[in-house]
Amino acid sequence: MSTLQGPAPLTVTEATTTQRDPRDGGGRASRKSRKPVDGRKVKRSGLLTAVMVVFVVYSFAPLFYLLVNSTKTQASLLSTFGLWFGGDFNLWQNIVDTLTYNDGIFVQWLGNTLLYVVIGAGGATLLATVAGYGMAKFQFPGRRAVFAVVLGAIAVPGTALAVPTFLLFSQVGLTNTPWAIILPSLISPFGMYLIWTYAVEAIPTELIEAARMDGAGEFRIFFTIALKLLAPGVVTVLLFAVVATWNNYFLPLIMLSDPKWYPLTVGLNQWNAQATGSGAQPIYNLVVTGSLLTIIPIVVAFLFLQRFWQSGLAAGSVKA
């Protein structure tokens, strides 16, 4: 009987001569067909890349406009092309003038905005987290009714509630005070809904029951266990609340009449309105520079909070 024999092993010389040069066509073909480590093929689309480039340019064009025109004087701002530098580089002088104009009112507006964001957005995030966690993990009568009310509150735009809120606050004497901005900012139905839906899957009920069996109280369970698992959702709600409060314009416009309580949005619009009417004093260069300074804290907050998304993604995983 004859035995089946496999191919003879190659010698070192044969193995060396049979290897393809990676610079030839065969090497390029092998590299193109090579799969990533995870086994998925990489597909490239020229159309999709072009669309993404258009979106990136569209997103960064306003920022580039602010950066470019913040370097111009009032005269060169109106006489040069808006999307490129022109004349002397006047950025630092514009920043100084913005911070010192009208006895430094811009700095006071910045402080007001930070006050509204820290108390309003921070409080809204805390209340939304507590309420969303309670709705997700506790059973009580009227739970469906609360769910319907929350969904209805999400559907109502904030501008539709501005006038009724003003009439209510005027009756209790809270208009033209910081509380007229802070108290409405504490309510975030959308944030509560996000935490609610996220807590249902992120926090296993078995984990809460095990903590209760070990003698942990509800507050300890929430602050030591639930908050860590809810970190990505909490950061998302916090960013939404911070951006909404920072960019809030219509509510402060109707609530506040004293410029010393204005946020940056209303204050910069007041500077922009100085260019119209009799005795106009246009300060467009300060408006543009102030707008550039206004977006810097938002960018910093986003970059700082982004890492909590990545660190919190694994926090909610449960080993089976």
Side-chain angles (χ1 to χ4, degrees):
M1 295 178 65
S2 61
T3 58
L4 296 177
Q5 296 180 353
L10 297 176
T11 63
V12 175
T13 304
E14 292 174 337
T16 304
T17 56
T18 54
Q19 290 179 350
R20 292 182 179 269
D21 188 352
R23 292 173 295 181
D24 61 11
R28 289 193 297 269
S30 62
R31 288 198 303 271
K32 289 182 179 179
S33 61
R34 187 178 300 169
K35 295 181 179 180
V37 179
D38 57 1
R40 295 178 297 180
K41 293 183 178 180
V42 178
K43 296 182 180 180
R44 295 184 176 89
S45 173
L47 178 61
L48 181 59
T49 303
V51 172
M52 294 306 298
V53 168
V54 171
F55 274 105
V56 170
V57 172
Y58 178 79
S59 300
F60 280 92
L63 180 61
F64 183 73
Y65 173 86
L66 289 178
L67 182 61
V68 167
N69 289 276
S70 296
T71 64
K72 301 179 182 180
T73 62
Q74 175 68 23
S76 61
L77 180 63
L78 301 177
S79 60
T80 58
F81 180 59
L83 291 178
W84 197 247
F85 301 92
D88 298 332
F89 189 83
N90 205 53
L91 176 61
W92 310 119
Q93 187 60 43
N94 284 339
I95 293 177
V96 172
D97 293 342
T98 301
L99 298 178
T100 58
Y101 182 80
N102 195 10
D103 296 329
I105 191 66
F106 181 88
V107 179
Q108 187 169 2
W109 293 340
L110 177 60
N112 295 338
T113 306
L114 291 175
L115 174 67
Y116 302 150
V117 167
V118 171
I119 300 180
T125 303
L126 178 62
L127 293 177
T129 303
V130 173
Y133 168 77
M135 292 293 297
K137 294 303 175 182
F138 291 91
Q139 301 292 333
F140 55 89
R143 189 166 177 265
R144 292 181 176 271
V146 174
F147 180 74
V149 171
V150 171
L151 291 182
I154 295 174
V156 178
T159 53
L161 299 176
V163 174
T165 304
F166 170 77
L167 297 176
L168 175 63
F169 277 45
S170 62
Q171 293 294 325
V172 296
L174 290 179
T175 55
N176 203 31
T177 64
W179 296 110
I181 311 301
I182 293 175
L183 292 179
S185 301
L186 293 175
I187 308 301
S188 178
F190 183 65
M192 175 184 171
Y193 177 77
L194 285 181
I195 295 295
W196 184 354
T197 55
Y198 187 79
V200 171
E201 299 295 336
I203 305 178
T205 305
E206 296 80 3
L207 184 61
I208 298 178
E209 293 177 352
R212 289 170 179 167
M213 293 179 62
D214 290 339
E218 297 299 335
F219 286 99
R220 184 178 180 183
I221 293 174
F222 174 75
F223 286 105
T224 60
I225 299 177
L227 275 183
K228 295 180 180 179
L229 300 178
L230 292 174
V234 172
V235 172
T236 303
V237 173
L238 178 61
L239 278 176
F240 282 152
V242 167
V243 173
T245 307
W246 191 275
N247 296 331
N248 195 3
Y249 172 75
F250 188 64
L251 183 64
L253 180 66
I254 66 174
M255 286 289 187
L256 304 175
S257 58
D258 191 348
K260 72 176 183 179
W261 293 118
Y262 282 172
L264 287 170
T265 52
V266 180
L268 290 176
N269 183 68
Q270 186 186 56
W271 279 4
N272 189 56
Q274 292 183 195
T276 59
S278 59
Q281 297 177 352
I283 49 173
Y284 291 127
N285 59 325
L286 301 188
V287 174
V288 173
T289 306
S291 301
L292 179 64
L293 297 177
T294 299
I295 66 175
I296 292 177
I298 291 293
V299 174
V300 172
F302 182 86
L303 295 177
F304 175 75
L305 294 174
Q306 187 181 19
R307 63 189 181 94
F308 290 97
W309 276 319
Q310 300 174 353
S311 63
L313 289 177
S317 59
V318 179
K319 186 175 181 180

